[in-house]
Amino acid sequence: APRTFWTVGLVQFFCWAAFLYMWTYTPGAIADTVWGTTDTNSEAYQTAGNWVGVLFTVQAVGSVLWAVVIPRFKSHKTVYVLSLLLGAAGFISTLFVTDQYVLFISFLLIGCAWAAMLALPFTILTNSISGKNMGTYLGLFNGTICVPQICAAALGGLILPLLGGHQVNMLVLGGVLLVAGALSVGLVKETYAEKEN
């Protein structure tokens, strides 16, 4: 596999681990920080869980809006780094937000990272490989989506107690992982393979 496969795969590792933690820990995190409860049987916790659906919708809207902006950048790497850093800010901000509506800002920013994750890795990779090998490499590249989530899921239960047992700290960790992903973009060297007919 070309070097680009492995370096973009490293970025993917950090990003998909971060989003696994978001999907897993957002309900408990905002129940604690916004509704002030960790009691999973309480009405407030259920309300928080319902609100997560709204927040994930806001994230999707942010993703669509940012997807319109991404092509305006000449450098894939520049917009990749910017997108991941915006997402990191969204993740980390959840630690400080106590208003359910202010969380819209956090999840709009997270949507920026999501848009970049869905588009840029495959764009950078397909530019670097020839038509002859593209199907094989793209198939293998899907492993850079599932492997990090498997690792994150396996380690999450061990990490949570180390972070004080507060689920919002797992979202902060997700932000840190996105920063690591943004830094890893610096290792990616964009190449353009000669395409075969």
Side-chain angles (χ1 to χ4, degrees):
R3 181 172 183 263
T4 305
F5 180 98
W6 299 107
T7 52
V8 175
L10 177 63
V11 179
Q12 288 272 87
F13 186 90
F14 293 120
C15 294
W16 284 95
F19 272 79
L20 186 280
Y21 288 146
M22 182 196 76
W23 294 322
T24 305
Y25 294 105
T26 296
I30 69 165
D32 187 8
T33 58
V34 177
W35 275 270
T37 184
T38 56
D39 179 4
T40 56
N41 294 317
S42 67
E43 184 178 344
Y45 198 99
Q46 300 309 311
T47 301
N50 293 336
W51 193 249
V52 170
V54 175
L55 294 176
F56 286 175
T57 301
V58 170
Q59 176 207 321
V61 170
S63 178
V64 170
L65 294 174
W66 190 247
V68 175
V69 176
I70 287 175
R72 299 179 182 274
F73 284 79
K74 293 182 179 179
S75 167
H76 292 136
K77 288 177 63 174
T78 299
V79 71
Y80 204 177
V81 169
L82 175 61
S83 301
L84 297 183
L85 291 178
L86 289 172
F91 271 89
I92 294 169
S93 68
T94 60
L95 178 64
F96 307 102
V97 174
T98 57
D99 183 281
Q100 67 192 85
Y101 295 102
V102 176
L103 282 172
F104 286 174
I105 298 171
S106 301
F107 280 80
L108 284 171
L109 293 173
I110 292 170
C112 297
W114 182 243
M117 285 167 55
L118 295 183
L120 294 171
F122 290 95
T123 300
I124 294 169
L125 181 63
T126 54
N127 285 340
S128 72
I129 53 183
S130 68
K132 179 180 178 181
N133 300 313
M134 188 175 295
T136 302
Y137 286 133
L138 288 179
L140 292 171
F141 195 66
N142 284 325
T144 67
I145 294 173
C146 15
V147 170
Q149 293 184 77
I150 292 168
C151 293
L155 294 173
L158 300 174
I159 295 172
L160 180 59
L162 297 176
L163 298 180
H166 298 287
Q167 294 190 41
V168 71
N169 292 337
M170 296 300 283
L171 299 186
V172 174
L173 174 59
V176 172
L177 289 170
L178 284 185
V179 171
L183 293 173
S184 299
V185 173
L187 300 174
V188 176
K189 183 177 181 182
E190 282 199 82
T191 58
Y192 294 88
E194 183 177 340
K195 305 301 178 187
E196 300 174 7
N197 296 324

